[in-house]
Amino acid sequence: MTYRVLLSLLLALAASLSASAQLTASKAFASAPASQFPLLDNTTRLDMIDYFNSGSSTASSNVLRGSSKITGLTPESLSFRMTDASSYQIVVLPEAKDTLIAVIETVAMPARDSRMSFYNKDWTPVKSRVFTAPTLQDWMTDAGRAQADMIEAMVPFLIVSYEYDPSTRVLTLTNNLSSFISHDDMAVGDYFHPTLRYRWDGKRMSPLK
């Protein structure tokens, strides 16, 4: 291998590493495939970023002719309202081998309920377990676990909203049980934690005690 060829390979590798290091939440949002956010074409997404960066309160029209708008933007995180009933947070996560993209989708039922997905920098779904959503028993307090059978019969699942804080690398899951159970069942809420927290450690979301 000649010196010139070796130098070209090293420069290409450096450029690739630099591009990965410079991935921001807004770049991830703009480069997402159409299937990821089908209500927003690429031009609309770029307009949304420009409106936010310019300080404009203008909303953009989505495919359903509703309004979509970015509500928060930092290099590591972009939050936007897709419709009146749905919102997203896109997070860029530093990782040893690659930059990961996390997407939190939240819908109002009317209580807020979220799901979280992970992708590599070219939006290929990540197959490794970087985050395992907590089970119903993970949410239970010691008092709740003592009456687990009764509680599971009354509350087979929880409605939970997610929010990630890039400044602390902490993902907070909020239990929205009180928003949809009846007043007579409110006592059941005493058997669940109000929140669970996880910290991104560079490889996965690890539970915080």
Side-chain angles (χ1 to χ4, degrees):
M1 180 180 295
T2 67
Y3 172 80
R4 182 171 296 179
V5 172
L6 178 59
L7 179 60
S8 296
L9 291 174
L10 291 174
L11 289 174
L13 177 60
S16 175
L17 292 174
S18 176
S20 174
Q22 294 174 2
L23 180 65
T24 62
S26 60
K27 288 180 180 179
F29 180 51
S31 67
S35 58
Q36 186 66 45
F37 305 114
L39 298 187
L40 301 173
D41 60 33
N42 182 258
T43 300
T44 301
R45 282 181 259 155
L46 292 175
D47 286 343
M48 291 168 66
I49 294 171
D50 288 342
Y51 288 146
F52 185 89
N53 286 335
S54 66
S56 172
S57 59
T58 302
S60 298
S61 179
N62 57 47
V63 172
L64 297 179
R65 298 185 179 179
S67 63
S68 299
K69 182 180 178 180
I70 292 177
T71 55
L73 177 59
T74 69
E76 300 86 11
S77 174
L78 183 152
S79 301
F80 69 96
R81 185 191 71 233
M82 179 71 82
T83 68
D84 289 342
S86 63
S87 60
Y88 289 80
Q89 183 182 15
I90 299 172
V91 179
V92 174
L93 299 171
E95 197 256 353
K97 296 181 180 179
D98 192 7
T99 299
L100 298 185
I101 301 169
V103 177
I104 299 173
E105 178 184 3
T106 303
V107 296
M109 308 180 50
R112 287 162 47 83
D113 188 52
S114 300
R115 67 176 182 176
M116 191 172 192
S117 305
F118 294 85
Y119 307 85
N120 64 22
K121 63 180 180 294
D122 65 2
W123 286 97
T124 301
V126 173
K127 295 181 179 179
S128 60
R129 289 194 174 186
V130 291
F131 171 66
T132 301
T135 65
L136 190 65
Q137 290 222 355
D138 290 332
W139 279 99
M140 291 182 186
T141 61
D142 291 340
R145 291 192 182 96
Q147 303 188 59
D149 290 342
M150 180 271 290
I151 294 173
E152 288 177 2
M154 296 182 67
V155 185
F157 63 91
L158 296 179
I159 292 181
V160 178
S161 56
Y162 293 18
E163 185 171 5
Y164 181 79
D165 182 353
S167 67
T168 58
R169 296 189 178 184
V170 171
L171 173 68
T172 300
L173 278 59
T174 301
N175 173 7
N176 295 318
L177 179 69
S178 61
S179 299
F180 67 94
I181 65 173
S182 68
H183 179 75
D184 292 340
D185 294 332
M186 280 296 292
V188 177
D190 297 336
Y191 298 121
F192 294 101
H193 297 292
T195 60
L196 293 178
R197 300 194 306 154
Y198 298 75
R199 175 170 282 122
W200 176 250
D201 64 9
K203 295 181 179 180
R204 62 184 59 85
M205 290 290 180
S206 299
L208 292 176
K209 299 293 186 179

